[in-house]
Amino acid sequence: MEKIRIGKGQVLHRKGDEVKTLEIVLAGALTMTDGNDVNVRLGSGSMAGTAYLPGETYSFDYVALEDSTLMAMDYLSPDDIVEAVTGTPAIAPVIAAANMELATAILDALTATTDAAITLCKELKYNYNEYKFMCVQLGSAPAQFDFVEHLIPLESSGLDSSWEADLCRAYCSQRSALDKGYYPLDVSFCVETVMRASTISRKFSQELLSVLTFVEQTKSGAASFIEAFYNVKSRVDTNNRGDSNAAPHIQNALDMILAFSGVDQETADTFRKDVKAYTDTEDRLEKSDEMRHLRRSLSDGFYKIYEAAFFKSLNTDHLPVEVRMFFLFGFVDETLAGTANTEILYQTAVGWENDPEERIVSLYDWLLKIYRGQALPSKNEFDNDWFEYLREELRTGSISQAESDSLQSDTQAMVSFEIRNMVTIANKATYGRLATFVPIFNAQDVVRPLEKCLASPARVREAFDKVTDIDYSCFYRPTLVNFPEFKIPHFIYDVEVKPYIILMPNIGSRGLMWQEIEGVRRTTPAHMMISIYHSEELDNTVVQMCAQFRWEMCRRIQGVRYADVSEPSLTSEYTNYLQFYRKNGYLSADIKERIKMSLQKARNDYKVIFMNDYEKYIQNEAFGMPRLNKIAREILFKYCTYSQKFREERGTNPQYAPLMDRWNVAHNSRVHNVDLVLRKVQRMNPDAVPQEILDEVKYLKL
């Protein structure tokens, strides 16, 4: 015999392992589990392995429910069970009682599983008749599903009413009397009880495994019918709802989503189990190891199902409303979301209006754009875009040259890349609380009325328009072009490239500026993310996102010299200002102290300081409420100049008058140079003025 210790969650034996040992639980507890609904507890005194003969294989996993101490011994014949009991006479009564209770627990699991299997068969038969009736309602011929038609319902084995079952229940109900007047009399009585419990446990376990196999085969065989049933049911529900604004009573949404996605049975069962466990958890923000494991499992299953459902949606002309709610909001279960929230999500999903310019899109629509080749995937966590990722995979030998060439234009692979990289990270980042994140809609995350925090395309566009009405050049970027036919070797003009705003399916508090351009071309759009239900003030978040874009875009344009003040730019001048503020004679001692405190709070991150100043510049300074010091105001006005309307309003302000004068000199010089180019082109060919020159003329009037 040997004492061993295993930690909580550690696997003692896996299904399929050969039975070679017996283990007596001295302290702690184990669970005999199939990974889904069967979980039989082995408490103190229980023996793992007695339900099998030596050399057989385990039918279930045996996992530590808590830190446990076990007594392990070799198991070569049934006599070893006898030796295990007689070799520990002090605890033999406990072993006897615990093993009979274990047999009873296996019986209870068998009874519950058998009932579930019988119910499953009844539901399939009922739903099959319902399916035929609904097809008639839709005016279509029902498909024939031979598996369901010829399904023979499971019949109970009768073990739950057998003499073995009665004996186990009698032993358990009379335990206190047996502990006093039977087990202590002679160790042989304990041996007899353990051996009988071993035989009964073996019989119950084999029948339990048989029922579980039946359930698995039935679900697998009926998978195509279940998919067809929920598809037809969704169409009938849609027709019944008609144009009514009243939200229907949504039931079994998770079953609908899983059936639509077509994921394998193991993934579906695991996700269903995890959702139930999460729903039953009272404190879903708990940070225990169990909850961390559950959140990780939920996230893995969610994205597998999301990906499978997305590709499935491409080949169907009907998208069930439950699935649309899943795509838009991460909704999976009406109980987890709450009745009131489910109604609101339904109303929002059916009334959803897309952005006319297709720049502010839901995650589903974004993936659709990638699949159709209308957009490129976002960069991954290593800052590699799709093509750089393929080159890295080729360099490391993960893929061949032929595979790399094929994947260059494989939009399905691009969508999978986007889900595995950007979506999994950005969904968590926009949520805001990384440690407690799960991607499924959860009523406990609702901290404001959903109607007030919906970041619809119209609301997001309005928030961005408020910024660009002030900082008109925010999304303009200088671009070089040449016109050899007019003998113009280079002409710099400004082009506006509006970003993609992707609405992530969660209730969150943060906006995210993921990347400023696609690939290496500066005229490609930025990728920004924000929660579809944004719990903070949307205007403030959008200003922060624009500030981050300003900084990162300047760094992109300046390259490695982004901090070199000899090449004036937003980042270089701001970096110089913050590095040498102590020596700046234009700043008072009080302002220098405030800058020092701001740097400490931002951990010397100059971008954070700039973003905070930019927010004051847009939300306060633009409306005549001074919040910035002289140096910060000068830099911001120079590179983030107000639009004409706000320049006129601030022009009489003594703080802005000298800044306006300097800007006007530089601006008039630029206008003069562009005017000379325009006249030259008009003299040479007045009917062929390049659009870039005309666009620059318009830009200079903003």
Side-chain angles (χ1 to χ4, degrees):
M1 294 186 180
E2 175 189 6
K3 271 190 180 181
I4 60 173
R5 290 179 173 82
I6 58 174
K8 183 178 180 179
Q10 186 175 342
V11 179
L12 177 65
H13 299 297
R14 293 191 182 278
K15 179 180 178 180
D17 289 349
E18 184 180 351
V19 179
K20 298 179 181 179
T21 58
L22 295 171
E23 290 87 15
I24 303 173
V25 180
L26 300 179
L30 306 177
T31 181
M32 183 185 88
T33 178
D34 69 337
N36 291 305
D37 297 324
V38 174
N39 291 282
V40 176
R41 178 186 173 88
L42 285 77
S44 296
S46 300
M47 295 179 68
T50 57
Y52 308 91
L53 294 177
E56 290 184 337
T57 56
Y58 290 99
S59 303
F60 301 91
D61 292 338
Y62 288 78
V63 184
L65 281 176
E66 51 194 77
D67 293 344
S68 303
T69 303
L70 312 174
M71 181 72 74
M73 62 209 74
D74 293 334
Y75 185 27
L76 303 177
S77 73
D79 291 339
D80 291 326
I81 301 177
V82 176
E83 185 179 341
V85 179
T86 56
T88 54
I91 60 172
V94 177
I95 295 175
N99 277 274
M100 195 57 80
E101 289 181 347
L102 173 59
T104 306
I106 297 174
L107 172 64
D108 292 340
L110 171 60
T111 302
T113 306
T114 301
D115 291 344
I118 293 172
T119 302
L120 173 64
C121 294
K122 288 180 179 178
E123 287 181 350
L124 285 173
K125 291 291 186 180
Y126 175 81
N127 289 343
Y128 191 51
N129 292 330
E130 188 74 8
Y131 165 75
K132 293 177 180 178
F133 177 73
M134 290 189 296
C135 286
V136 172
Q137 285 184 294
L138 294 175
S140 60
Q144 184 172 343
F145 295 93
D146 293 338
F147 181 86
V148 181
E149 278 198 9
H150 301 108
L151 176 64
I152 300 175
L154 178 73
E155 293 185 4
S156 174
S157 63
L159 284 177
D160 60 337
S161 58
S162 64
W163 69 266
E164 293 102 328
D166 292 340
L167 179 67
C168 289
R169 296 187 183 111
Y171 262 95
C172 292
S173 64
Q174 299 296 327
R175 176 171 178 175
S176 59
L178 294 172
D179 284 342
K180 293 178 182 178
Y182 180 64
Y183 298 136
L185 295 178
D186 195 294
V187 72
S188 297
F189 295 150
C190 299
V191 171
E192 188 274 340
T193 302
V194 172
M195 295 303 289
R196 188 179 293 275
S198 172
T199 303
I200 294 175
S201 295
R202 176 178 171 78
K203 188 174 183 179
F204 289 166
S205 295
Q206 290 175 341
E207 183 61 25
L208 175 58
L209 183 62
S210 176
V211 176
L212 288 171
T213 302
F214 173 85
V215 171
E216 183 180 352
Q217 292 174 346
T218 302
K219 287 182 177 180
S220 177
S224 57
F225 162 70
I226 293 172
E227 181 181 340
F229 170 76
Y230 279 113
N231 182 43
V232 171
K233 183 178 183 299
S234 173
R235 293 175 185 272
V236 171
D237 289 346
T238 301
N239 292 342
N240 291 339
R241 291 162 190 164
D243 297 327
S244 173
N245 291 325
H249 181 56
I250 291 178
Q251 288 182 307
N252 303 320
L254 181 56
D255 292 335
M256 172 77 79
I257 294 165
L258 291 174
F260 180 88
S261 69
V263 292
D264 61 86
Q265 195 63 50
E266 183 180 355
T267 300
D269 288 344
T270 300
F271 189 70
R272 188 181 283 107
K273 175 191 173 186
D274 289 342
V275 169
K276 184 180 185 305
Y278 192 68
T279 304
D280 294 342
T281 301
E282 185 175 347
D283 182 10
R284 296 171 193 159
L285 301 180
E286 185 185 346
K287 297 180 181 178
S288 63
D289 291 338
E290 293 89 344
M291 284 303 295
R292 278 194 287 271
H293 177 75
L294 178 59
R295 292 189 191 102
R296 191 181 306 114
S297 182
L298 272 170
S299 297
D300 292 343
F302 178 89
Y303 293 118
K304 287 179 184 177
I305 295 165
Y306 201 101
E307 181 175 354
F310 173 79
F311 289 123
K312 183 67 175 295
S313 72
L314 303 174
N315 301 314
T316 180
D317 58 352
H318 174 72
L319 197 64
V321 69
E322 292 88 348
V323 177
R324 181 155 180 77
M325 291 160 66
F326 171 65
F327 284 142
L328 286 174
F329 316 116
F331 168 84
V332 297
D333 180 73
E334 62 277 5
T335 303
L336 189 59
T339 303
N341 293 329
T342 300
E343 291 181 2
I344 295 172
L345 296 182
Y346 170 83
Q347 298 284 6
T348 306
V350 298
W352 186 262
E353 294 183 4
N354 290 326
D355 177 40
E357 297 182 15
E358 296 186 352
R359 288 287 179 179
I360 304 170
V361 295
S362 67
L363 176 60
Y364 174 80
D365 291 326
W366 171 247
L367 296 176
L368 205 58
K369 289 179 77 70
I370 295 175
Y371 183 80
R372 291 171 177 170
Q374 299 170 347
L376 290 174
S378 307
K379 295 179 178 179
N380 63 15
E381 58 183 322
F382 302 109
D383 204 34
N384 291 333
D385 63 19
W386 174 244
F387 302 105
E388 291 171 333
Y389 165 76
L390 291 180
R391 285 193 291 270
E392 182 64 20
E393 291 291 284
L394 180 62
R395 187 187 67 80
T396 58
S398 300
I399 58 175
S400 65
Q401 183 63 57
E403 290 174 322
S404 177
D405 295 341
S406 174
L407 289 170
Q408 294 278 340
S409 56
D410 187 340
T411 55
Q412 182 168 331
M414 291 181 185
V415 169
S416 298
F417 173 82
E418 187 77 339
I419 293 174
R420 289 195 309 269
N421 293 279
M422 183 281 284
V423 174
T424 56
I425 299 173
N427 207 21
K428 180 184 289 189
T430 53
Y431 175 75
R433 291 169 290 173
L434 304 185
T436 59
F437 170 76
V438 288
I440 59 179
F441 188 96
N442 167 24
Q444 291 188 5
D445 287 335
V446 181
V447 294
R448 290 178 59 193
L450 290 179
E451 303 92 331
K452 294 184 178 180
C453 57
L454 175 65
S456 64
R459 281 195 65 209
V460 174
R461 178 166 296 283
E462 181 183 357
F464 273 92
D465 286 346
K466 288 179 182 178
V467 178
T468 54
D469 283 348
I470 300 171
D471 181 10
Y472 72 96
S473 63
C474 183
F475 297 113
Y476 280 88
R477 56 198 75 174
T479 307
L480 180 65
V481 69
N482 62 79
F483 306 113
E485 66 274 24
F486 297 110
K487 298 182 180 179
I488 301 176
H490 65 273
F491 177 76
I492 297 177
Y493 73 103
D494 292 270
V495 58
E496 184 178 30
V497 184
K498 293 183 178 179
Y500 282 122
I501 315 298
I502 305 163
L503 306 177
M504 304 305 294
N506 66 58
I507 304 174
S509 58
R510 290 186 57 199
L512 189 63
M513 210 294 295
W514 185 267
Q515 63 188 64
E516 65 280 3
I517 60 173
E518 295 176 342
V520 296
R521 294 179 57 238
R522 296 178 187 172
T523 54
T524 51
H527 294 183
M528 299 182 180
M529 294 86 193
I530 195 168
S531 301
I532 199 164
Y533 280 109
H534 190 66
S535 59
E536 300 295 324
E537 286 298 325
L538 184 60
D539 289 349
N540 296 345
T541 302
V542 168
V543 171
Q544 288 284 309
M545 293 163 67
C546 291
Q548 190 175 358
F549 171 79
R550 273 286 196 182
W551 185 271
E552 295 297 338
M553 193 64 213
C554 184
R555 285 192 58 171
R556 171 69 62 174
I557 293 172
Q558 296 300 117
V560 295
R561 307 190 70 177
Y562 77 94
D564 186 353
V565 75
S566 65
E567 289 191 11
S569 68
L570 173 64
T571 52
S572 66
E573 292 198 30
Y574 229 88
T575 299
N576 184 70
Y577 146 62
L578 292 174
Q579 280 181 336
F580 303 107
Y581 73 92
R582 290 187 181 88
K583 300 179 181 180
N584 197 318
Y586 293 100
L587 300 175
S588 66
D590 183 51
I591 291 176
K592 289 179 181 179
E593 184 61 26
R594 272 186 272 171
I595 294 175
K596 176 184 176 182
M597 297 299 294
S598 297
L599 284 169
Q600 289 177 349
K601 187 177 180 181
R603 298 181 181 179
N604 286 325
D605 190 335
Y606 298 156
K607 181 172 72 171
V608 173
I609 303 295
F610 165 76
M611 290 169 62
N612 292 336
D613 286 350
Y614 182 89
E615 186 174 1
K616 298 171 187 173
Y617 178 73
I618 295 295
Q619 296 185 328
N620 301 111
E621 295 265 338
F623 298 95
M625 296 177 285
R627 293 290 186 275
L628 300 174
N629 63 61
K630 175 183 174 66
I631 308 302
R633 183 181 297 112
E634 287 181 0
I635 300 173
L636 281 163
F637 186 81
K638 180 178 179 180
Y639 294 103
C640 309
T641 311
Y642 291 141
S643 62
Q644 185 176 9
K645 171 189 172 183
F646 286 88
R647 290 198 302 270
E648 291 174 354
E649 291 178 357
R650 303 278 75 77
T652 57
N653 189 316
Q655 293 177 320
Y656 279 94
L659 304 180
M660 199 80 72
D661 291 340
R662 287 199 295 270
W663 183 84
N664 284 331
V665 171
H667 182 71
N668 291 335
S669 174
R670 176 64 178 158
V671 170
H672 177 68
N673 292 336
V674 173
D675 186 54
L676 291 177
V677 173
L678 178 62
R679 291 182 183 181
K680 175 181 178 180
V681 171
Q682 288 175 332
R683 284 197 304 270
M684 297 178 70
N685 189 345
D687 298 325
V689 178
Q691 187 61 42
E692 291 86 349
I693 298 177
L694 297 177
D695 289 343
E696 184 66 7
V697 172
K698 291 180 182 179
Y699 169 76
L700 293 173
K701 294 179 181 179
L702 295 176

